[in-house]
Amino acid sequence: MKAIPLALLAAALLTLPAAATAAVPEGTDYSEAYFASGDGTMLHADVIRPKNAGKTPVILAIGPYFGHGGSQGAVDYDPTREAPNERFKDLWDEGHIFERGYTMVQVDLRGFGASEGCNDFGGNGEQADVKAAVEWAASQDWSTGKVGMWGKSYDGWTQIMGLATKPKGLAAAVIQSPIIDGYRALYMNGVHYDAGWYATPGLYQNIDATPPTIFDTPEYYQGTAKGTDPACYSQNIAEQNTTSDKNTPFWQERDLVPRAQGTDVPTLWSHGFLDANTKPNNFLDVFAHQTGPRRAWFGQYTHVRPQDKRSDDENMSTTGRQGFIDEAMRWMDRYVKGVPAAEAKVEEDPAVEVEDGALQRYRAEAFWPPLDGASHTLKLNGGEYVEQPGNDGRPGPGNGVWSISAPLPHDVHMAGVPRVTLDVETSGENVNLYGIVYDIDDRRRAMLVSRGAFRQSGPGKVTFDLYPQDWTFREGHRLGFLVAQADDEWFNPPPSNAAVTIKGGTMTAPYLQYVRSGFLPSRPSEDEENLPPGFQVDVETIDESAAAFDVPQRMREPSDVVLPITPAEGTQVGGAGNRGAFRPRLSVRLKKLKRNRWRVTGKAPAGYPPLIRLQRRKPGAKRFRTVGWRRPSVNRGSFRRTFKAKSPGRYRAVVTLRAAGVPVKATSKVLRKRRR
């Protein structure tokens, strides 16, 4: 689709009215600013501040969607639209960020809006832009120096760039439906996504080329002109659509996972297990390895935000659960604005709010995947097929090699990432393999649970992950796995048309050991309600495809001695009789060292850092008071921190952890330090 030429805009100036409805939120002041990225490229920012405000914390979004004329290129371009862009107007109207005392900064990535340079689809240039934008916002005289990032999709990706580049001033992030690795946006293990994704690079070049509006300044026009580069566009498109090998320098530059893992930036995530846009495998490899505070909403929805509204009810979230933006603002208040924990109360929110796709209900978890997941295996059958179009993942018809368990003797709850190993025989040089997990009910209707793809060169064994999922297979249902001839619904690479023989294999996934019986207020997402009903598997196929399944034992009722269990519905969190409470094992030990130093060590669940307080009781005093605190990372279940304190008295270490809304506390033995 062509961008609107600047010449047409110039002609429009003669016929359009001289004023348009102002987009500046009531009670705020709006200004524009320009600053340099790491390589000198000049970037453009819109700054919206509460009127008469002094220093404020900042909420910053940076991406391709903040052009004054529209967010989607020629699709929504309006030369009479007045700045600033309203992409995150819900932050203004529902998050009440200006009433809360925040400044909003919206920055154009290089090449977009009025920023100079050439966009590079998540490359080193854009990564430098993110670092520069956060540090610029943190350094302004109207800023407290604390910046929280906000965004979805591409400007969710830029937040991962922030975690990877570690800019000074980055205090928190709310990341919705992001990309953590540019390769995963277009490919899965060498297999290109469906036809629309070949057009994606061109879409961003179109957004890049969007002209200014009749209200924009000469400086804005100049920045737009310096950010339009057709030669750069063609190179971008070629690199993205023809480079299927993840190990090339182009894609390695855009893989943020190694640098973002282990971040200690407090981060709130949301992602949909049905998201065909940024894909369900674009959160876990970073989320699961964070060392700082983290929260998440994971549900059965597509490329939407939890605060987006249903098409038939403007007061109800399309994802089926209310309250995300309120929780997100509490998160920002706690870690960016610095509101005390007792007031912000983020620790009282569940660490993870996740929806079971079969039950269509949300529940609280301390971690995801939950720590009581244990691996069990479905042994896969052998068979033959031709790799060619003609099979869709969700509507079927189910062409390929099936492996189907016997009816399950009890409920089985998969929560995590299924992994597939296949022994492949083929004469094809490059064969696209598709693996799909199904829940087959007592009427033989197959509902898609998870899927994945892998491009295989020649014969041999191959192992690959499917998308993460949370799903209860009900008693009497069957677990089915299809090595499909195609998955045209999501993937569209050139088919090999080669004969493929599957000599056997396995599908292994984590299954929960304990019953989840407490649920959060929710309803099915709008996407779930609009899903097709699945397809029928015939009796003959089921009979001929019988496969051995290492069925997990019946899930046990929660116990205080096991790790990640949800609070029971209707009980007060942490209260008496709350058999479903999360009770992580937590221990702490205090040791007195030389030179007034104290060492605190202990055990805690990996990936969820506790808060350590070193406390002292003065001689003659009745109470302990905190003299120092730290939040350490947890490495293989252990933590360790050193404090310095020289005053005499009795000392102890207190360690606290809050997960799934349940407080857990451990206290060391008391040690005495005498006067010299």
Side-chain angles (χ1 to χ4, degrees), residues 438-459:
Y438 289 98
D439 181 348
I440 303 174
D441 66 17
D442 52 4
R443 294 174 292 171
R444 295 181 283 106
R445 183 186 62 174
M447 289 295 296
L448 189 146
V449 175
S450 181
R451 66 198 338 152
F454 190 94
R455 192 170 193 183
Q456 169 74 346
S457 298

Side-chain angles (χ1 to χ4, degrees), residues 284-436:
L284 194 56
D285 287 346
V286 176
F287 170 79
H289 299 280
Q290 289 184 237
T291 60
R294 62 181 180 185
R295 290 198 60 241
W297 283 46
F298 301 138
Q300 307 295 330
Y301 49 85
T302 58
H303 195 58
V304 296
R305 300 172 299 173
Q307 69 269 29
D308 289 342
K309 303 302 184 288
R310 289 178 60 97
S311 60
D312 58 357
D313 186 349
E314 62 180 16
N315 296 315
M316 176 61 69
S317 166
T318 188
T319 63
R321 171 136 172 85
Q322 301 284 80
F324 178 82
I325 201 161
D326 295 330
E327 293 186 17
M329 290 315 303
R330 288 203 293 274
W331 192 259
M332 288 292 191
D333 285 350
R334 176 72 181 95
Y335 295 110
V336 183
K337 196 174 181 180
V339 173
E343 184 180 340
K345 298 182 178 181
V346 295
E347 287 85 356
E348 295 183 13
D349 293 325
V352 177
E353 299 173 47
V354 62
E355 184 189 6
D356 185 315
L359 305 185
Q360 298 186 340
R361 300 183 74 180
Y362 280 83
R363 69 182 190 279
E365 287 284 354
F367 302 86
W368 204 91
L371 295 185
D372 64 322
S375 294
H376 292 268
T377 298
L378 175 71
K379 188 175 181 180
L380 303 183
N381 297 322
E384 299 179 353
Y385 65 93
V386 174
E387 192 251 305
Q388 59 186 3
N391 182 76
D392 283 338
R394 195 171 297 279
N399 296 334
V401 179
W402 277 99
S403 302
I404 301 175
S405 76
L408 297 171
H410 47 255
D411 289 358
V412 171
H413 190 162
M414 176 193 291
V417 180
R419 172 163 288 189
V420 178
T421 297
L422 299 174
D423 190 354
V424 180
E425 185 69 47
T426 180
S427 59
E429 186 172 338
N430 286 297
V431 173
N432 302 301
L433 303 172
Y434 305 96
I436 309 175

Side-chain angles (χ1 to χ4, degrees), residues 8-248:
L8 289 182
L9 176 62
L13 294 175
L14 301 176
T15 60
L16 291 171
T21 302
V24 178
E26 186 177 353
T28 67
D29 293 318
Y30 166 69
S31 62
E32 298 178 66
Y34 294 85
F35 59 91
S37 185
D39 60 359
T41 300
M42 294 303 295
L43 305 179
H44 169 265
D46 291 319
V47 180
I48 314 167
R49 305 199 67 235
K51 281 187 178 296
N52 304 316
K55 289 181 179 290
T56 68
V58 178
I59 294 179
L60 179 142
I62 175 171
Y65 304 124
F66 300 111
H68 292 173
S71 298
Q72 301 296 326
V75 174
D76 68 345
Y77 175 70
D78 179 357
T80 69
R81 186 179 282 125
E82 195 163 2
N85 190 291
E86 296 183 342
R87 172 167 170 77
F88 293 126
K89 193 171 185 295
D90 50 4
L91 263 181
W92 313 348
D93 297 342
E94 298 178 51
H96 305 290
I97 59 172
F98 304 118
E99 294 90 331
R100 287 176 181 263
Y102 290 92
T103 292
M104 180 76 187
V105 175
Q106 299 179 162
V107 182
D108 299 318
L109 280 174
R110 60 182 56 210
F112 296 101
S115 289
E116 298 178 357
C118 176
N119 73 80
D120 64 356
F121 196 67
N124 288 335
E126 292 185 2
Q127 294 170 37
D129 295 349
V130 172
K131 182 177 175 68
V134 173
E135 294 184 346
W136 177 83
S139 67
Q140 299 307 293
D141 57 10
W142 41 257
S143 170
T144 61
K146 298 288 188 180
V147 177
M149 295 190 73
W150 183 279
K152 173 213 172 188
S153 196
Y154 206 120
D155 37 49
W157 188 8
T158 58
Q159 292 181 83
I160 307 299
M161 298 179 201
L163 301 183
T165 58
K166 302 174 177 60
K168 296 178 182 178
L170 180 57
V174 176
I175 306 176
Q176 302 163 81
S177 305
I179 295 169
I180 60 175
D181 167 10
Y183 179 85
R184 303 185 198 199
L186 301 180
Y187 299 90
M188 186 176 193
N189 300 317
V191 182
H192 203 293
Y193 285 107
D194 70 20
W197 287 96
Y198 287 96
T200 297
L203 168 67
Y204 283 104
Q205 311 322 321
N206 180 272
I207 296 173
D208 181 314
T210 304
T213 74
I214 62 172
F215 299 105
D216 282 320
T217 64
E219 291 82 4
Y220 194 97
Y221 272 78
Q222 183 178 12
T224 301
K226 291 184 177 181
T228 304
D229 186 351
C232 160
Y233 301 166
S234 60
Q235 179 180 354
N236 272 345
I237 293 172
E239 288 276 16
Q240 293 169 50
N241 275 338
T242 62
T243 312
S244 62
D245 183 359
K246 183 178 180 178
N247 295 316
T248 60

